[in-house]
Amino acid sequence: MTPTPDLTAVVLVGTLTPSPAPSSSELLGRQVLDALGEHGVTGTVIRLVDHDIKPGVEKDMGEGDAWPAIREQVLAADILVLATPIWLGQPSSVTKRALERLDAELGESDDQGRLLTYGRVAAVAVVGNEDGAHHTSAELFQALNDVGFTVPAAAVTYWVGAAMQGTDYQDLEETPEETATTTATLAANTAHLARLLRQSPYPPS
């Protein structure tokens, strides 16, 4: 039985492909959100490339900057999921830009001295046609932890195709069992930890 929804999530998709074109990263991100739904989590998906996110490390980089509205949604959610493709063995440039903007959270705190991101849980989804899923998730996990997010056990799901061939995740006839199982584990652990942190927040800093 699915728990009554009491947690929320935001999936930031780092594809370089603007909407409405299909995206493997968004597909896996939505699969993570669907799996989280089995644990009482509702949420939204934001394709970052569709928004004018200014470069910088401040909360608001001025006129036209789309980040403040996205930041508001991230801070209102219990769970943040970063879904990124692999390019040149790295997270995408727009994913890295989101991390750079999250750097501003190091200068924000609540009335007990805790970062505003404390108590929020992060997970990662990675797709690509080359090796590098572990490297990419390691980069993202360290950055997310640096700016105050908590990373649960088994908090990454991924799919990578064979090197030097052109199959995309979205082109597969069905989701590989290994990826589906890993996504389900990610969702269970992430929702569990988010619920625990809501009930028992971190101590004052």
Side-chain angles (χ1 to χ4, degrees), residues 97-112:
R97 178 162 294 187
L99 293 175
E100 289 167 350
R101 297 304 301 271
L102 284 169
D103 185 77
E105 301 310 318
L106 294 174
E108 302 295 318
S109 60
D110 64 16
D111 56 8
Q112 293 187 303

Side-chain angles (χ1 to χ4, degrees), residues 3 7-9 32 35-41 78-81 119-124 141 150-157 180-198 202:
L7 297 174
T8 57
V32 170
L36 285 167
E38 298 295 318
H39 302 277
V41 182
D78 301 288
I79 296 166
L80 171 64
V81 179
R120 287 161 179 78
V121 178
V124 168
F141 284 149
T150 301
V151 178
V156 61
T157 186
T181 300
T182 303
T183 298
T185 299
L186 177 157
N189 291 354
T190 300
H192 176 71
L193 182 56
R195 195 164 281 114
L196 289 176
L197 286 173
R198 174 181 280 191
Y202 285 112

Side-chain angles (χ1 to χ4, degrees), residues 35-50:
L36 285 167
E38 298 295 318
H39 302 277
V41 182
T42 58
T44 58
V45 175
I46 300 172
R47 194 183 293 205
L48 295 171
V49 75
D50 291 341

Side-chain angles (χ1 to χ4, degrees):
M1 181 176 178
T2 301
T4 301
D6 65 335
L7 297 174
T8 57
V10 172
V11 181
L12 300 184
V13 178
T15 179
L16 300 182
T17 304
S19 297
S23 159
S24 290
S25 301
E26 181 163 334
L27 174 59
L28 185 54
R30 288 189 179 278
Q31 289 174 340
V32 170
L33 190 57
D34 289 344
L36 285 167
E38 298 295 318
H39 302 277
V41 182
T42 58
T44 58
V45 175
I46 300 172
R47 194 183 293 205
L48 295 171
V49 75
D50 291 341
H51 304 272
D52 186 10
I53 301 171
K54 305 293 186 184
V57 291
E58 304 295 333
K59 292 186 302 180
D60 189 338
M61 297 303 298
E63 184 177 355
D65 185 17
W67 181 253
I70 295 172
R71 174 182 181 266
E72 185 175 333
Q73 293 184 69
V74 169
L75 292 180
D78 301 288
I79 296 166
L80 171 64
V81 179
L82 291 184
T84 183
I86 300 170
W87 288 114
L88 300 175
Q90 304 286 324
S92 74
S93 57
V94 292
T95 301
K96 289 189 173 185
R97 178 162 294 187
L99 293 175
E100 289 167 350
R101 297 304 301 271
L102 284 169
D103 185 77
E105 301 310 318
L106 294 174
E108 302 295 318
S109 60
D110 64 16
D111 56 8
Q112 293 187 303
R114 298 171 296 200
L115 296 183
L116 302 183
T117 48
Y118 274 22
R120 287 161 179 78
V121 178
V124 168
V126 182
V127 294
N129 291 318
E130 58 189 276
D131 195 11
H134 284 177
H135 170 78
T136 297
S137 60
E139 284 197 17
L140 299 181
F141 284 149
Q142 185 61 58
L144 289 163
N145 187 256
D146 283 347
V147 297
F149 288 90
T150 301
V151 178
V156 61
T157 186
Y158 63 87
W159 177 87
V160 290
M164 296 183 286
Q165 54 84 39
T167 302
D168 285 340
Y169 182 65
Q170 61 188 338
D171 296 331
L172 302 177
E173 293 184 2
E174 60 183 5
T175 301
E177 181 179 352
E178 294 84 355
T179 300
T181 300
T182 303
T183 298
T185 299
L186 177 157
N189 291 354
T190 300
H192 176 71
L193 182 56
R195 195 164 281 114
L196 289 176
L197 286 173
R198 174 181 280 191
Q199 295 168 356
S200 182
Y202 285 112
S205 297

